[in-house]
Amino acid sequence: MSQPLLEIRDLHVAVDGKPILKGVNLTIHRGEIHALMGRNGSGKSTLAATLMGHPRYEVTRGEVLFEGQNVLEMEVDERARAGIFLAFQYPVAIPGVSVANFLRSALKSLHGEEMSAREFRNALKAEFKALHMPDGFASRYVNEGFSGGEKKRLEIVQMGMIKPKLAILDETDSGLDIDGVRIVSENVNRIASEDTGVLVITHYQRILRYIRPHFVHVMVGGRVVRSGDESLAHELEQRGYDWILQEVGAEEKTLQEVG
Amino acid sequence: MGNTLMTSPAGLDLIDGISRHLNEPEWACTFRREAWRRFMETPIPSPKHEHWRRTDISHLNLDSLAPSVPGSSPALPAWLEDVIRGRSRRIGGTLAFSDGAPVYNHIADSVRRSGVLFADWAEAIQRHPDAIRRALEGADYDPADEKLTAMARAYATGGAVLIVPRGVKVTLPLRTFFTVDGARAVFPHTLVILEEGSRVTLLDGMLSPDLSTPVFGSGVADLILGEGAELTYVLFQQWGRGMEYFHHQRAVLGRDSHLTTITVALGASVSKATIESVLCSPGAVSDMLGVVFGDGDQHFDHHTVQMHMVGNTTSDLLFKVALDERSYSAYSGLIRIDLGAQRANAYQRNENLVLSRHAHAETLPNLEIEANDVRCTHGATVAPVDPEQIFYLMSRGLAPRDAKRLIVEGFLQPVLDRISAKSLRDMVSEKVDQKIASRRL
Ligand SMILES: Nc1ncnc2c1ncn2[C@@H]1O[C@H](COP(=O)(O)OP(=O)(O)O)[C@@H](O)[C@H]1O
Ligand SMILES: [Mg+2]
């Protein structure tokens, strides 16, 4: 098989000295859609933020390779330029900075050369239209006074403008109504080409009805404890997470007894 | 250009000389003499005084400073000509002064025809002596500033006067520029009189290149709003390094008048301003806004006063300060609501964005409220750049420096957006962005 797009090996991460991720392994190839599921507090956002390089998350062990390159040595903006994109669970407001100005600066930093003003305006207009947002949002300040759903849509507008190689969507479905989930999903499918890797973080199955994953992983206590195909998501939807917790608990007990 | 070393009574000769040169009427000369006497009698402010605690000027030898010799005729510096011509579209008129003397004026025909007076001091005092006399006699500055305001009154040579007649709404904004070109002291003076129901926007620009020898400045701006008048006044301060500049602005608001003042402070080594709105008739509304961006060793000290003398008056204030390197800013704001000024509304907010470990911001709100049926809120923040904002922007590919630059621009932008005249807003925004872009951050 070709070189993976993303390879996470035995990743351990601590925040303020407190271990959160305890040995995550995950490999994503070009064109694959992976879903990462798990209860609140299981460490999904920690993984997402670590992949993007948030300075508060300290990697204590393991490695992360993106197209074979050591990501952990790269600054946040270098990772973005390498092709990693994170749709934030809680997008940040930047008061006084218009969406258009922000995206213009972002594209300039990402691609070096500048798009013509007109080309840029048209591209942005098209993305807003696709996400069913009025283009008036271009002159609004980034995420300021946006509803939860508008923030999530704006993340996907950005993904559409940036066209990353790897898109990590951290609970993009939360805060969206049924139509919102459908619109956002259709756009993710449109933007993601055959070569794009997608990591969809969610704890509901509903977004996975539209963005259909090739692989589903379940995170518990900072580790990926189960991986499977789409059917694993269905099973979680029907049975909840408790059975996995029990199975994992039993396995750990056995391990301890054996050890 | 000369700088006269002054000792009494040679001082009085100089005062009389200025007055004669400007062809002033007798009363104006007397007025200068009185101001000069107060200047000489008032001791230099002590750093022990609350108002001068954060900006110590006790080392300045003010008595040795004087305006340029009247009669010298400075020219319009080429760089200032570029500033003026660079953005001359959709401007109703421009006056420029260098070393206290008028060096440029252009007034659009439409403005001239509407009966507006926009002229330098010497011309204005010939045409409207009574209005100017009333305005000067009514001026009543903070006693803590007496030394410097009296000095400014005594020595003002150049100065701009704007009188908008009753009911006239000037749609194109007006500008004045004051600069120095060799003088060691400047005393800018701006007088704005808006008659009943009139409306205008004026930008007062104080700017120069960096100065190789220190220059001192003390300027006054008197803004008088008649009933129902609307004034937007922008103080744009971008003196070069080497300037120590003191500004005293006092607005008096008549019934149902609306004042918007926007103070933009980018320049000078030391600058201190008192910015006062006196709401003395019901229905008056004062919006005071400010933007400060400091770097290097710059020192800023802004004191605002929202003075509600009667009820049913509203004042709002937003001062935004961003500080880089070793710069310093003090903001102190007084809201005063007199006994009997019922149903007054007063709001005040000061936000400080500290970009460097060595920069320092102080904020000192002060409320003196004697009426009991009022609405009054105030708030202040002093904070570094939010690392979550930096992370968000960097995750979209922006280098740390560009992320910071965008955040600072965005922080200041909402105030600049309040300059409704696009031609002025673009000019000021460009200067602010240029200064931000020149920083390493
Ligand atoms: N910045 C942080 N500071 C302190 N604790 C954190 C921080 N981020 C995550 N945690 C802790 O790490 C654990 C995992 O959180 P998170 O990654 O947000 O989970 P999920 O996204 O799966 O809900 C939680 O116990 C949370 O409290
Ligand atoms: Mg999360």
Side-chain angles (χ1 to χ4, degrees), chain B residues 340-362:
Chain B
Q342 300 295 11
R343 290 170 307 283
N345 304 308
Y347 311 100
Q348 182 192 93
R349 191 158 175 79
N350 170 227
E351 296 174 4
N352 298 272
L353 184 63
V354 183
L355 303 167
S356 137
R357 276 186 304 132
H358 307 288
H360 184 57
E362 278 189 73

Side-chain angles (χ1 to χ4, degrees), chain B residues 158-177:
Chain B
V161 179
L162 169 61
I163 302 178
V164 185
R166 186 179 173 137
V168 171
K169 296 185 174 15
V170 184
T171 46
L172 295 177
L174 307 177
R175 311 181 292 188
T176 60
F177 292 110

Side-chain angles (χ1 to χ4, degrees), chain A:
Chain A
M1 212 174 205
S2 61
Q3 183 191 51
L5 184 61
L6 179 76
E7 223 180 331
I8 304 170
R9 294 195 200 131
D10 192 32
L11 184 67
H12 288 67
V13 172
V15 179
D16 300 336
K18 178 181 150 204
I20 310 280
L21 298 188
K22 298 164 185 164
V24 174
N25 291 287
L26 187 68
T27 299
I28 299 179
H29 287 90
R30 290 178 183 78
E32 287 178 357
I33 298 177
H34 290 243
L36 180 64
M37 305 184 71
R39 281 197 165 155
N40 274 334
S42 57
K44 304 182 298 296
S45 292
T46 301
L47 177 64
T50 305
L51 293 176
M52 199 71 244
H54 194 296
R56 273 198 72 178
Y57 296 84
E58 187 202 347
V59 174
T60 52
R61 202 158 101 196
E63 54 183 352
V64 178
L65 302 176
F66 184 72
E67 298 189 309
Q69 272 186 292
N70 182 357
V71 163
L72 300 178
E73 278 179 359
M74 292 157 76
E75 294 298 329
V76 180
D77 53 326
E78 291 173 321
R79 299 181 196 205
R81 282 196 289 273
I84 303 177
F85 175 86
L86 170 61
F88 281 56
Q89 181 175 3
Y90 303 108
V92 180
I94 317 286
V97 178
S98 72
V99 169
N101 184 11
F102 159 55
L103 276 174
R104 197 94 221 267
S105 309
L107 290 185
K108 200 170 138 195
S109 308
L110 288 168
H111 306 311
E113 96 274 11
E114 234 176 303
M115 231 187 213
S116 81
R118 191 177 161 166
E119 210 182 331
F120 172 79
R121 253 198 325 271
N122 289 340
L124 186 55
K125 220 169 160 168
E127 288 301 330
F128 277 129
K129 187 159 180 229
L131 270 298
H132 296 228
M133 294 173 91
D135 7 306
F137 274 93
S139 53
R140 297 259 313 259
Y141 295 156
V142 177
N143 290 318
E144 195 170 63
F146 284 30
S147 72
E150 286 164 352
K151 287 182 188 168
K152 296 306 178 73
R153 287 174 199 231
L154 183 66
E155 294 294 287
I156 305 307
V157 166
Q158 294 178 48
M159 178 181 164
M161 294 296 284
I162 290 171
K163 299 188 183 63
K165 292 180 187 166
L166 173 68
I168 304 161
L169 311 179
D170 191 359
E171 292 203 30
T172 299
D173 51 345
S174 67
L176 287 170
D177 58 22
I178 301 278
D179 286 339
V181 173
R182 182 179 49 79
I183 291 164
V184 156
S185 305
E186 284 168 2
N187 279 284
V188 170
N189 291 332
R190 170 181 60 87
I191 298 158
S193 71
E194 285 134 51
D195 282 342
T196 315
V198 181
L199 180 61
V200 184
I201 297 174
T202 181
H203 47 214
Y204 299 108
Q205 196 224 337
R206 60 177 194 170
I207 192 172
L208 303 180
R209 280 204 291 264
Y210 302 103
I211 306 176
R212 297 189 51 187
H214 304 106
F215 303 93
V216 174
H217 312 276
V218 182
M219 185 170 255
V220 173
R223 251 177 301 182
V224 175
V225 295
R226 282 283 178 286
S227 292
D229 59 16
E230 258 183 306
S231 63
L232 180 54
H234 293 294
E235 197 171 356
L236 287 170
E237 183 84 353
Q238 271 150 25
R239 297 173 62 191
Y241 285 95
D242 284 345
W243 62 277
I244 289 199
L245 292 178
Q246 275 158 18
E247 280 188 24
V248 172
E251 281 165 21
E252 294 212 327
K253 224 163 145 197
T254 325
L255 273 175
Q256 273 167 15
E257 280 162 10
V258 172

